[in-house]
């Protein structure tokens, strides 16, 4: 590595990849807890109406629409001897530990309005801290390594950490929260995981490096126009489709798991939730091991095309076993299929994200990994927020009664059937969309090499001539005609 770097270069082996990926323990674990328990905490433990509780994350998403683009711009504008992305990962990791704990703290007031306002503020605080760490983190890998294959390896190791975080976040709370009405148990879980999330971020700060480059000169007030310009890339728009459909589908599974196990299967007190989450997340880890070499030998797109049909078939198979007293073994076997299929999506998403900064540079002639990752982080939080919001609305539509839930009484039979449909049909529709987006995604190793070669021509380090086939490839990847691509790039370079 000839570039000047901030931090210590630790090579490109497994150890370096694991240290880089450890912050994703937070990224993968935090939303499993939030998606699985936050709505339950608000509705069952506090008695808040489901539609109102589901609106809290959506208010947070409005706030994200402001903070995520700004954080991306702030990251690209920052200069630090630690490296701007590494610096914010460290700061964000410490603040996130505090914010996550605050999210599960109860207040003395029993007023629904007061509680609603309090948890909106706490959710926005947590979301801001998540932005501070994850926007720079999502933009770090492109400034660590250039190789398509090494990025794939590091991204896979990152997603292994994500799955480990998800396993612990999916199992430990279910073991600790025996009574969903006991608010103190939610706080104990939050304290444990808040500390673990902060520690993971510190390890990533210590174990990573980034290339030192001049900060961009865009003004903070230009954050929103800069952020929106990322969507001029055809590849990025399709990537967001992959991201949203894949993650929303899994958010619905984790968000509805307690309702499905408790109100449909009637097996929460039998430990069914722990079994389901354990099988789902363990199989996801197995899937990571299976799909990582497949992705390396083929492409980041191929794993989606293999995994999505497995995920879809397994999800629809649950329709036959979604009733009170249903045998748990078939449910667990099908859940394992869902987990293995989901691993394909997770294996690909962050590997693809690392390449999006290069596509953006091809269009703008400016290296903006912070801006690109800011919009990707925003998309991730949109997926989580929309999922919780829709779950709250759909639960209300199928007649879910929070008073019955708060008193421990079973829901009506029609409501139980409605919960089963939310748990199965909505994720199935989203996985179909995932398969479509994965099919039309235009980048494999071949296209990536052409993109890097064209960027080298722009920088003057490659004097070769662009062939007609390469021009067509660049047009397909970016969505611009080749001649317009040069014009757009030069115009953006002048503005910057």
């Amino acid at each position: 590595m000839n570039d000047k770097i901030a931090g210590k270069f630790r090579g490109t082996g497994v150890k370096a990849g694991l240290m880089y990926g450890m912050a994703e323990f937070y990224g993968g674990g935090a939303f499993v807890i939030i998606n699985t328990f936050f709505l339950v905490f608000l509705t069952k433990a506090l008695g808040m109406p489901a539609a109102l509780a589901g609106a809290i994350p959506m208010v947070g998403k409005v706030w994200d629409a402001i903070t995520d683009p700004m954080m991306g711009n702030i990251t690209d504008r920052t200069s630090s001897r630690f490296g701007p992305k590494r610096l914010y990962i460290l700061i964000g990791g410490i603040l996130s530990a505090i914010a996550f704990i605050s999210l599960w703290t109860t207040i003395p007031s029993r007023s629904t309005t007061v509680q609603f306002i309090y948890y909106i503020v706490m959710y926005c605080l947590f979301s801001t801290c998540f932005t501070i760490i994850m926007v720079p983190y999502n933009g770090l890998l492109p400034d660590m390594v250039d190789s398509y294959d090494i990025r794939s390896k590091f991204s896979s190791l990152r997603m292994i950490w994500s799955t480990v975080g998800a396993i612990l976040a999916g199992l430990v709370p279910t073991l600790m929260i025996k009574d969903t009405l006991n608010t103190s148990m939610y706080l104990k879980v939050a304290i444990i995981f808040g500390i673990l999330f902060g520690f993971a971020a510190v390890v990533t700060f210590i174990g990573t490096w980034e290339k030192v480059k001049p900060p961009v000169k865009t003004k903070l007030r230009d954050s929103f126009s800069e952020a929106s310009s990322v969507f001029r890339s055809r590849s990025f728009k399709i990537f967001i489709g992959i991201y949203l459909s894949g993650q929303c589908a899994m958010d619905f599974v984790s968000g509805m798991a307690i309702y499905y196990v408790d109100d449909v299967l009637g097996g929460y007190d039998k430990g069914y939730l722990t079994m389901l989450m354990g099988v789902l997340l363990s199989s996801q880890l197995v899937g990571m091991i299976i799909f990582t070499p497949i992705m390396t030998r083929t492409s980041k797109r191929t794993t989606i095309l293999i995994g999505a049909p497995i995920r879809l078939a397994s999800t629809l198979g649950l329709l036959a076993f979604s009733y009170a007293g249903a045998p748990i073994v078939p449910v667990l076997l099908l859940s394992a299929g869902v987990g293995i299929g989901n691993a394909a999506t997770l294996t690909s998403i962050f590997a693809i994200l690392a390449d999006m900064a290069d596509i953006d540079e091809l269009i703008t002639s400016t290296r903006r990994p912070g801006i690109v990752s800011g919009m990707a982080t925003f998309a991730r939080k949109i997926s989580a927020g929309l999922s919780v919001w829709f779950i709250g609305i759909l639960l209300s539509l199928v007649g879910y009664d929070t008073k019955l839930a708060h008193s421990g009484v079973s829901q009506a039979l029609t409501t139980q059937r409605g919960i089963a449909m939310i748990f199965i049909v909505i994720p199935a529709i989203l996985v179909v969309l995932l398969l479509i987006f994965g099919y039309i995604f235009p980048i494999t190793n071949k296209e990536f090499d052409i993109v890097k070669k064209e960027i080298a021509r722009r920088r003057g380090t490659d004097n070769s001539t662009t062939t007609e086939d390469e021009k067509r490839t660049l047009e397909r990847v970016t969505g611009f005609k080749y001649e317009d691509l040069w014009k757009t790039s030069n115009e953006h370079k002048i503005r910057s």
Side-chain angles (χ1 to χ4, degrees), residues 30-95:
F31 276 104
V32 169
I33 297 175
I34 290 172
N35 292 342
T36 305
F37 284 101
F38 191 56
L39 199 60
V40 176
F41 171 67
L42 296 175
T43 57
K44 288 182 178 285
L46 299 182
M48 188 179 295
L52 195 62
I56 290 175
M58 276 310 302
V59 175
K61 297 316 116 186
V62 175
W63 177 245
D64 288 338
I66 299 172
T67 60
D68 286 358
M70 290 182 67
M71 190 64 211
N73 198 2
I74 288 170
T75 301
D76 287 337
R77 294 170 71 243
T78 298
S79 179
S80 168
R81 66 186 182 89
F82 297 110
K85 300 175 190 65
R86 295 176 67 248
L87 174 65
Y88 288 124
I89 288 170
L90 178 62
I91 295 172
I94 296 171
L95 293 178

Side-chain angles (χ1 to χ4, degrees), residues 148 298-302 441-449:
Y148 182 89
T298 56
S299 73
K300 301 166 186 177
R301 171 177 173 264
T302 302
F441 187 69
I443 302 176
T444 64
N445 202 335
K446 177 184 175 183
E447 287 80 15
F448 180 78
D449 288 341

Side-chain angles (χ1 to χ4, degrees), residues 445-457:
N445 202 335
K446 177 184 175 183
E447 287 80 15
F448 180 78
D449 288 341
I450 293 173
V451 168
K452 294 296 288 186
K453 190 175 181 180
E454 186 69 14
I455 291 174
R457 291 189 184 106

Side-chain angles (χ1 to χ4, degrees), residues 13 84 89 129 134 155 162 185 228 231 234 239 314-316 321 333 349 396 446 479:
I89 288 170
C129 293
M134 296 309 292
S155 296
S162 177
M185 295 311 301
S228 63
F231 285 92
R234 177 175 182 261
F239 163 72
S314 300
T315 300
L316 293 175
F321 304 98
L333 291 175
I349 281 177
S396 295
K446 177 184 175 183

Side-chain angles (χ1 to χ4, degrees), residues 107-122:
I107 57 175
S109 175
R110 293 184 176 273
S111 167
T112 299
T113 302
V114 173
Q115 289 180 341
F116 180 69
I117 294 172
Y118 172 79
Y119 287 106
I120 283 178
V121 173
M122 289 301 103

Side-chain angles (χ1 to χ4, degrees), residues 173-408:
T174 64
L175 294 172
M176 292 182 64
I177 303 173
K178 297 296 186 182
D179 179 5
T180 56
L181 305 182
N182 187 344
T183 58
S184 66
M185 295 311 301
Y186 294 93
L187 181 58
K188 290 179 181 178
V189 168
I191 292 171
I192 292 171
F193 279 92
I195 293 171
L196 291 175
F197 293 152
F199 175 76
V202 171
V203 171
T204 292
F205 168 78
I206 294 171
T208 54
W209 66 92
E210 61 180 297
K211 298 173 188 174
V212 176
K213 56 186 180 64
V216 299
K217 299 178 181 179
T218 53
K219 296 179 175 61
L220 194 59
R221 65 171 178 266
D222 296 328
S223 297
F224 303 102
S225 61
E226 288 290 306
S228 63
S229 70
V230 174
F231 285 92
R232 300 177 73 182
S233 163
R234 177 175 182 261
S235 293
F236 188 80
K237 285 185 282 192
I238 297 174
F239 163 72
I240 290 298
I242 292 171
Y243 203 174
L244 287 178
S245 56
Q247 295 299 82
C248 271
M250 210 59 199
D251 289 342
F252 264 87
V253 172
S254 60
M256 289 297 300
I258 288 183
Y259 298 98
Y260 180 72
V261 167
D262 195 14
D263 298 301
V264 178
L265 301 181
Y268 188 84
D269 57 349
K270 300 175 184 177
Y272 282 7
L273 180 62
T274 303
M275 296 180 198
L276 188 148
M277 295 301 290
V279 169
L280 182 69
L281 296 170
S282 297
S283 62
Q284 185 172 293
L285 182 59
V286 172
M288 294 282 181
I289 298 172
I290 294 172
F291 284 111
T292 294
I294 293 175
M295 182 176 70
T296 302
R297 293 190 182 98
T298 56
S299 73
K300 301 166 186 177
R301 171 177 173 264
T302 302
T303 53
I304 295 174
L305 300 181
I306 296 173
I310 296 173
R311 191 171 164 184
L312 179 61
S314 300
T315 300
L316 293 175
L318 290 169
L319 286 169
F321 304 98
S322 297
Y323 55 88
I328 191 60
V329 173
V331 173
L332 295 179
L333 291 175
L334 291 166
S335 297
V338 172
I340 290 173
N342 185 53
T345 308
L346 291 175
T347 301
S348 299
I349 281 177
F350 291 100
I352 293 173
L353 175 57
D355 300 334
M356 292 299 99
D358 297 290
I359 308 302
D360 182 71
E361 183 179 358
L362 182 64
I363 295 172
T364 65
S365 284
T366 306
R367 191 72 175 170
R368 309 186 303 169
I371 290 289
V372 175
S373 67
M375 295 313 295
T377 304
F378 178 56
R380 172 64 188 104
K381 287 191 286 190
I382 281 289
S383 74
L386 285 174
S387 296
V388 176
W389 183 50
F390 279 126
I391 286 172
I393 291 175
L394 291 171
L395 283 173
S396 295
L397 290 176
V398 299
Y400 187 82
D401 191 328
T402 55
K403 292 182 179 179
L404 291 178
H406 191 60
S407 61

